[in-house]
Amino acid sequence: MKNLLKRFDIFFTILVFLVMIPAEHFEWFSSFEDQFVSIRHILRTSYADPAKVTFPHDKIAIVVQDDDFFEDYGSFPLRRDDIGKIAENLARLGAKVVMVDILMDFASSYDEDPLIAARLKSAGNTIVVSIVMFEEDDPKKVEKIIYPTETIHKATTTAYSNHQEMGGMLNRLRIYPEVGEIYGEWPISVATVAAYLGVEPRVKDRTLYLGDLKIKLDQFNDFRNDYPYIKPGVNFISKDPYIGLSAMDILELVTDPNDEEYDEDDMEEFKALVEGKIVFIGDTAEVSHDYFDTPMGKVWGVEVLASEVATLLKGAPLKSASTTAEIIIGLILLLLLVTSNFLSDPKLRAFASVGLFVAYFAFCTLSYIYLDLVFSMGYLFLAGILGFVAINIFLFIEERKQKSFITDAFGQYLSPDVIEALVEDPDKLSLGGERREMTAYFSDIQGFSTISESLTPDELVNLLNLYLTAMCDIISDNNGTIDKFEGDAIIAFWGAPLDQPDHAKLCCYATVDMQKALIGLREEWMKEGLPRVLVRMGVNSGPMVVGNMGSQSRMDYTIMGDSVNLAARLEGANKFYKNFSMISEFTYKQAADFIDVREMDTIRVVGKNEPITVYDLLERKGQTSGKMADLVPIYNQGLQLYKDKNFAGAIPIFEKGLKIIPQDGLSQTYVERCQRFLEDPPPADWDGVYTHTEKG
């Protein structure tokens, strides 16, 4: 709990998620959110039930004034009398509602207003656009309504064309109930559907009622425009031949049966495209620039209105998820994101976080496509990304601290490879241990007490520093781990924390290299008047417990177990053989293919009942040379005579070896032991095991 309170990243992540609740409600980042809406809506039109996303061309048509129309027409804009004629012709073709998406708020320069007014009145169920102007200080308070000219206004119904862009995109229509209640003005799409159904619109408790249709509105009194599927290669719904009609065709259509140019076939053809429908008259010419950004890309203004009508007729199926649902999903995402940060592997942590975002995207997308439920993706994505970054920055800082701690704490007595392994997996430094097969190394300077008495404190410290540095460098070069120093003694091991299958070989190589290095160091130190430094080394392989042992505040990465104790006994046992490198049969068994040895003895060390065979470590495999190479076969001959209890015959053989290397401790030891056995023979059942009664 104490550590959790230090996690500023988690508190930051929680705070960001909490901030996203009001941010989503008031749509502070609607531009960002709209991009996610667009992606989902495009997928919806591709994968949802076709019945849900197909434009209802059996109920809605659009009469377009496009570039081709104006090229034939010869002037811009369309004259008002011709607008009225188009509306009148549509009515004669059986259009149920004619919606004129052309603002005519100023008087005609050609005095056409009475003409269009008469035609609109003759057409009957027509609607012409108005615009509601809101006060700058209070965007909900109406300043005025811009109607068509008074002459036109008296002849038809009006409806406002205001559209509230959210983040620069038209994906919803905002309804102002007070405008409808006070001024009788409704959005074009609402007024058009109401006229089509023959009902009066009303809003109550954030619900728009159009007869039996109940349209649930969001917190802004908006409903979502469910833009329809657009056929490949068409680009705009008004280009669909079943939806879009040329204004020129309708304008030039002769509808009077008494006219000599009347064509009954033309009437029937256009009647099939118009009768009983809502028909929009709108401008889709490039020069008008009447297009808007929507989830489906650029859409002409008249197409936006037609899509809104289609949406209302379907009951506006797309619904915003409730605030409660948004909060629940946000809390689940927050919990999973925070939980994922406890994964120790950075790659796994990143994979889990990415998987979480992908799952959330899939959930929101599938809900949008198949359940008509719109969750706000962008806000939680933004919160999730910020939280992910904060968490990973914190963990990166903590990992850097941990790596620095490991490097500082262990860098001077672990090899670079071991340090790298610990940095990659700091869990290896957790309190506790594990049992594994390893090799332990112990060394001690012979006669160190005597040496220390002959030197001043400064000289002793300097000598020890030079000695320990040289030995530790060799251990590190052979990927060993230095356990600790006990005065002049060095304790090291191989096989942890890295997995080292060749731990026995590496330790033997390090032992050989250290003895070689000591030859040069001895000569150098003796030239400086320092004592002769000889070092006994003991090596054993076997099962050991390794790990950080101690308290939470003070730990020591160390080894424990009987195999460790045996290595310490072998180091001391060198004293009885006047020897300096002793390895156990367990080490030799694992490293036999890599080292040269000579068998020393089969012994029982203090504290052990089981006998073990020990070996003098000489060199890397096949590299024993010089006098030692000459001595080994002679020594082995003498050792065999000793094992055969031919002590008298063994003595001259060992003495022969001493003529090659007079200071060979093993040969000296066996000469002395054979002489002692000649005077005091071992028991008749002697098994050749020599029992040591001292630790050495």
Side-chain angles (χ1 to χ4, degrees):
M1 183 64 183
K2 184 178 180 182
N3 291 333
L4 190 61
L5 294 175
K6 297 178 181 179
R7 294 295 301 271
F8 70 84
D9 57 318
I10 293 179
F11 286 106
F12 172 80
T13 302
I14 294 172
L15 178 62
V16 170
F17 271 82
L18 291 176
V19 168
M20 288 304 162
I21 295 175
E24 185 278 329
H25 183 79
F26 295 107
E27 303 205 357
W28 294 343
F29 311 116
S30 54
S31 296
F32 184 60
E33 172 64 21
D34 282 347
Q35 306 310 311
F36 291 94
V37 172
S38 182
I39 293 171
R40 286 178 286 174
H41 199 81
I42 292 171
L43 292 172
R44 173 184 169 85
T45 59
S46 300
Y47 296 104
D49 182 353
K52 291 171 60 174
V53 296
T54 301
F55 188 82
H57 58 80
D58 59 327
K59 297 178 180 178
I60 304 171
I62 303 173
V63 174
V64 295
Q65 308 157 46
D66 56 12
D67 293 317
D68 292 338
F69 166 80
F70 283 110
E71 186 175 345
D72 292 341
Y73 190 68
S75 66
F76 182 87
L78 186 64
R79 290 186 293 274
R80 290 184 182 176
D81 183 39
D82 286 340
I83 296 172
K85 186 177 180 180
I86 292 173
E88 196 172 39
N89 283 349
L90 289 170
R92 289 172 180 172
L93 288 170
K96 191 169 184 180
V97 180
V98 177
M99 170 63 233
V100 182
D101 183 27
I102 301 171
L103 181 63
M104 296 174 283
D105 58 326
F106 55 90
S108 168
S109 300
Y110 305 100
D111 197 26
E112 293 182 290
D113 288 357
L115 298 176
I116 187 177
R119 290 185 182 279
L120 292 176
K121 190 171 184 179
S122 171
N125 202 4
T126 58
I127 302 173
V128 177
V129 297
S130 63
I131 296 177
V132 178
M133 301 295 291
F134 295 94
E135 294 185 4
E136 291 185 10
D137 297 337
D138 187 355
K140 292 184 178 181
K141 188 174 183 180
V142 177
E143 179 182 344
K144 64 179 179 178
I145 297 178
I146 301 176
Y147 292 107
T149 62
E150 185 177 355
T151 301
I152 297 173
H153 191 198
K154 287 180 179 179
T156 186
T157 302
T158 59
Y160 60 85
S161 62
N162 298 60
H163 279 82
Q164 182 69 34
E165 290 189 354
M166 302 298 288
M169 185 180 290
L170 285 183
N171 59 16
R172 279 171 283 184
L173 175 66
R174 181 159 299 176
I175 296 173
Y176 301 94
E178 61 276 8
V179 177
E181 293 169 2
I182 298 173
Y183 300 94
E185 290 286 305
W186 294 91
I188 288 174
S189 54
V190 174
T192 300
V193 172
Y196 179 76
L197 298 176
V199 298
E200 288 295 324
R202 62 188 180 91
V203 174
K204 183 179 180 181
D205 298 329
R206 295 201 184 281
T207 301
L208 170 65
Y209 293 91
L210 289 165
D212 294 334
L213 289 176
K214 297 179 182 179
I215 312 300
K216 188 67 178 178
L217 306 177
D218 65 13
Q219 67 268 30
F220 300 107
N221 281 321
D222 295 348
F223 70 85
R224 293 183 177 271
N225 193 352
D226 193 6
Y227 286 94
Y229 167 78
I230 299 176
K231 295 178 180 178
V234 173
N235 297 329
F236 298 97
I237 59 173
S238 59
K239 295 293 185 181
D240 188 320
Y242 292 98
I243 301 170
L245 306 173
S246 170
M248 186 61 71
D249 289 340
I250 304 300
L251 179 62
E252 293 179 343
L253 183 68
V254 177
T255 59
D256 185 358
N258 298 319
D259 193 310
E260 61 181 13
E261 295 185 4
Y262 176 79
D263 188 323
E264 187 175 351
D265 290 339
D266 283 349
M267 279 293 292
E268 290 301 319
E269 179 183 348
F270 284 105
K271 193 172 185 180
L273 296 173
V274 170
E275 189 173 24
K277 296 183 182 180
I278 298 168
V279 183
F280 286 87
I281 302 174
D283 191 343
T284 62
E286 188 68 32
V287 68
S288 69
H289 297 289
D290 186 30
Y291 45 70
F292 302 89
D293 285 319
T294 74
M296 296 296 289
K298 293 286 186 181
V299 172
W300 294 107
V302 68
E303 296 176 332
V304 172
L305 299 177
S307 295
E308 289 172 354
V309 169
T311 299
L312 288 172
L313 290 175
K314 291 189 294 183
L318 283 175
K319 301 291 191 299
S320 298
S322 67
T323 301
T324 302
E326 295 273 14
I327 292 174
I328 291 173
I329 294 299
L331 290 176
I332 293 173
L333 188 64
L334 169 63
L335 179 62
L336 293 175
L337 180 64
V338 170
T339 302
S340 70
N341 93 89
F342 291 103
L343 296 170
S344 58
D345 186 343
K347 292 181 180 178
L348 186 59
R349 192 165 60 239
F351 180 80
S353 298
V354 171
L356 181 60
F357 290 136
V358 170
Y360 178 64
F361 177 85
F363 167 78
C364 292
T365 301
L366 294 174
S367 296
Y368 192 101
I369 295 173
Y370 298 110
L371 302 179
D372 302 328
L373 193 59
V374 186
F375 285 90
S376 298
M377 286 177 60
Y379 295 91
L380 290 189
F381 258 107
L382 182 60
I385 291 170
L386 291 175
F388 175 79
V389 170
I391 288 171
N392 280 273
I393 287 176
F394 175 85
L395 294 176
F396 174 78
I397 293 172
E398 289 299 302
E399 286 174 8
R400 294 299 301 175
K401 288 180 180 178
Q402 193 171 47
K403 289 177 181 180
S404 297
F405 166 76
I406 292 170
T407 302
D408 293 343
F410 297 95
Q412 295 186 17
Y413 58 96
L414 293 182
S415 72
D417 288 342
V418 175
I419 289 293
E420 184 178 350
L422 293 179
V423 166
E424 290 298 321
D425 187 6
D427 288 343
K428 292 182 181 294
L429 294 177
S430 60
L431 188 62
E434 59 177 318
R435 187 177 181 84
R436 59 165 67 184
E437 185 77 17
M438 298 171 58
T439 297
Y441 166 91
F442 281 75
S443 70
D444 198 18
I445 296 177
Q446 177 179 279
F448 182 71
S449 298
T450 303
I451 292 174
S452 62
E453 291 173 359
S454 65
L455 298 175
T456 66
D458 289 343
E459 290 174 331
L460 179 62
V461 170
N462 183 58
L463 177 64
L464 270 179
N465 286 341
L466 292 172
Y467 162 70
L468 294 174
T469 299
M471 299 301 102
C472 290
D473 286 346
I474 293 171
I475 292 172
S476 179
D477 290 343
N478 286 277
N479 294 327
T481 300
I482 298 168
D483 185 337
K484 62 176 69 71
F485 304 119
E486 293 181 352
D488 62 304
I490 301 173
I491 303 173
F493 53 84
W494 278 258
L498 293 177
D499 289 327
Q500 294 171 312
D502 56 348
H503 52 84
K505 179 193 78 172
L506 291 172
C507 181
C508 289
Y509 280 1
T511 303
V512 169
D513 291 345
M514 284 187 278
Q515 291 292 8
K516 285 182 179 179
L518 283 167
I519 295 172
L521 290 172
R522 271 195 297 270
E523 292 177 358
E524 183 181 335
W525 291 336
M526 290 176 72
K527 288 178 183 178
E528 296 174 3
L530 296 173
R532 185 166 181 258
V533 175
L534 297 169
V535 180
R536 301 190 187 102
M537 303 179 186
V539 175
N540 180 48
S541 303
M544 304 172 192
V545 175
V546 61
N548 263 317
M549 303 181 196
S551 67
Q552 289 286 359
S553 60
R554 185 176 180 85
M555 298 187 211
D556 186 16
Y557 193 70
T558 187
I559 50 176
M560 297 176 64
D562 289 341
S563 296
V564 179
N565 297 335
L566 180 56
R569 295 287 186 271
L570 297 186
E571 177 272 311
N574 276 297
K575 176 180 179 181
F576 304 117
Y577 298 90
K578 304 179 183 67
N579 194 63
F580 299 98
S581 297
M582 184 184 296
I583 69 173
S584 71
E585 61 182 68
F586 309 113
T587 299
Y588 178 63
K589 182 178 180 181
Q590 296 187 44
D593 293 337
F594 306 99
I595 55 175
D596 287 342
V597 299
R598 56 173 172 165
E599 184 178 336
M600 291 179 64
D601 202 356
T602 301
I603 63 175
R604 289 188 183 90
V605 297
V606 175
K608 299 289 183 181
N609 294 323
E610 293 296 322
I612 63 166
T613 301
V614 293
Y615 298 85
D616 179 23
L617 179 59
L618 302 177
E619 252 293 0
R620 284 174 167 79
K621 192 71 173 180
Q623 295 186 20
T624 304
S625 60
K627 292 182 178 181
M628 182 57 72
D630 296 333
L631 172 62
V632 171
I634 296 173
Y635 168 82
N636 288 340
Q637 183 183 358
L639 183 62
Q640 187 58 52
L641 292 170
Y642 167 80
K643 289 181 176 180
D644 294 339
K645 302 182 185 180
N646 186 356
F647 306 121
I651 291 173
I653 300 301
F654 286 123
E655 288 176 340
K656 182 180 178 181
L658 287 171
K659 290 178 181 179
I660 299 173
I661 301 178
Q663 70 275 21
D664 181 47
L666 283 177
S667 296
Q668 293 174 5
T669 299
Y670 275 106
V671 168
E672 294 171 2
R673 190 183 294 179
C674 287
Q675 289 172 345
R676 191 163 61 250
F677 280 167
L678 287 174
E679 295 174 4
D680 184 14
D685 60 350
W686 180 61
D687 56 5
V689 176
Y690 192 87
T691 301
H692 291 283
T693 57
E694 298 179 35
K695 292 182 179 180

